[in-house]
Amino acid sequence: MQKDWLFIEEDHICNFRAAGVLIRNDRMFMQREKDGTECALPGGHVSFGETAAQALIREYKEETGADILCGRLLWVEETFWKWGERDAHTITFYFLISLQDDADIPDGVAASQKDNCNVLLEWVALNKLPDLTVYPSFLAEKVKDISDHIEHFVRYE
């Protein structure tokens, strides 16, 4: 098993992630902690020797059981934040994705993540995103009108 592209030092952490934007019937497939209110896109760490798209395909299968097709790269985000007491720098690639078989994740499904029972996977109406706490923070605005070119965001939390 390859190691994740995750560097942890005494005072800082640097990591590389990939996440998928899956939209169907004016809803986006998202994850949140079972008792939480913050939503995020499914995905995970890229492993050494793995492309971001390969990582996303692997992570989606591990988390949802679904096979996906990676479409085009939508956004690249650099986030500077606190991970516990450490300064963290996360680079995330966001891909537009589709399911190989829509039956793998039916409409209206709300189920536990396959590899973490504390995380709920669910379809969220796009018009509800502005009322929720979503990560990345630009998601609710950008998903309404996805650009034809790759966009780069830098956030400081």
Side-chain angles (χ1 to χ4, degrees), residues 80-91:
F80 298 87
W81 56 294
K82 282 291 199 190
W83 191 336
E85 295 299 314
R86 296 180 173 113
D87 290 325
H89 182 179
T90 300
I91 299 170

Side-chain angles (χ1 to χ4, degrees), residues 1-2 6 8 10 21-22 25 38 42 45 51 79-80 84 99 102 106 109 120 123 128 138 142 148 151-152 157:
M1 179 168 191
Q2 295 283 9
L6 173 64
I8 301 175
E10 185 175 323
V21 178
L22 177 60
N25 300 327
E38 299 175 344
H45 288 105
T51 68
T79 309
F80 298 87
L99 296 172
D102 282 347
V109 72
L120 185 67
W123 290 99
K128 298 289 184 196
F138 61 80
K142 288 297 179 180
D148 290 335
E151 295 183 275
H152 176 229
E157 295 182 356

Side-chain angles (χ1 to χ4, degrees), residues 16-114:
F16 178 26
R17 301 185 75 253
V21 178
L22 177 60
I23 300 170
R24 185 169 71 209
N25 300 327
D26 293 321
R27 294 173 189 233
M28 185 177 314
F29 197 64
M30 302 197 76
Q31 65 183 26
R32 67 175 170 83
E33 290 187 12
K34 278 195 177 178
D35 297 323
T37 58
E38 299 175 344
C39 297
L41 296 168
H45 288 105
V46 176
S47 294
F48 288 107
E50 183 176 54
T51 68
Q54 289 169 333
L56 184 55
I57 291 167
R58 174 184 51 76
E59 287 284 351
Y60 235 84
K61 183 71 171 181
E62 290 171 5
E63 294 175 0
T64 71
D67 292 310
I68 63 166
L69 300 169
C70 268
R72 68 182 187 89
L73 180 62
L74 299 175
W75 309 304
V76 175
E77 177 189 35
E78 294 182 75
T79 309
F80 298 87
W81 56 294
K82 282 291 199 190
W83 191 336
E85 295 299 314
R86 296 180 173 113
D87 290 325
H89 182 179
T90 300
I91 299 170
T92 307
F93 285 10
Y94 296 91
F95 291 90
L96 187 61
I97 63 169
S98 60
L99 296 172
Q100 288 189 20
D101 182 351
D102 282 347
D104 284 348
I105 304 177
D107 289 340
V109 72
S112 293
Q113 203 177 66
K114 301 278 186 213

